[in-house]
Amino acid sequence: MRMLIVGAALVMMTSAAMISSVVAEDDDAKGAQKLAMQGRDDYWHCLAREYSRDSNQGLSEQDFGRSVAGACPSERQYYRVALLDYLTTQYPAIDSGAHLATANRAVASAQKDIVTAFVKHRQPQK
């Protein structure tokens, strides 16, 4: 009888440890996702500030693209790192190089989108 009680206690403790581990992993994933989304938003806001600068009005697509590629270095790096952390938390079995490539593609996509918007909405050349 005593062994049965001890066994039941061990099962309950193990179950509690496993549940708290799952909850902690879920909290980590949610936190990483929140940081990745915040990083994305900060980077996009910074790119939007670059887009709206008066000094960009006369730039060609290529010049504006180079300007955007060098703009917002801290926001860009924070977004890349936060997204990499989220992907690693969400998909731990996938190679970290693949996660880095995905994060780099997300940054490049944001830059491409802002350049596309610039080209579509700039004043026609006179």
Side-chain angles (χ1 to χ4, degrees), residues 32-33 35-44 47 68-89 96-111:
Q33 181 182 26
L35 291 175
M37 289 171 34
Q38 181 65 48
R40 178 203 60 202
D41 292 348
D42 290 347
Y43 187 49
W44 266 102
L47 290 176
V68 165
C72 312
S74 61
E75 291 88 348
R76 179 178 59 240
Q77 184 63 11
Y78 181 82
Y79 177 38
R80 180 182 289 119
V81 170
L83 184 54
L84 183 61
D85 183 48
Y86 170 69
L87 292 170
T88 302
T89 302
S96 63
H99 292 320
L100 181 58
T102 299
N104 286 336
R105 281 193 304 274
V107 168
S109 179
Q111 292 173 357

Side-chain angles (χ1 to χ4, degrees), residues 2-31:
R2 184 174 191 151
M3 291 299 279
L4 184 61
I5 293 173
V6 170
L10 285 173
V11 167
M12 287 178 23
M13 288 177 10
T14 303
S15 296
M18 289 172 55
I19 289 171
S20 67
S21 174
V22 169
V23 169
E25 287 175 13
D26 191 41
D27 287 346
D28 289 347
K30 285 180 183 177

Side-chain angles (χ1 to χ4, degrees), residues 107-123:
V107 168
S109 179
Q111 292 173 357
K112 181 181 176 192
D113 288 350
I114 204 78
V115 170
T116 300
F118 175 79
V119 170
K120 286 184 177 182
H121 294 102
R122 70 178 169 186
Q123 297 281 333

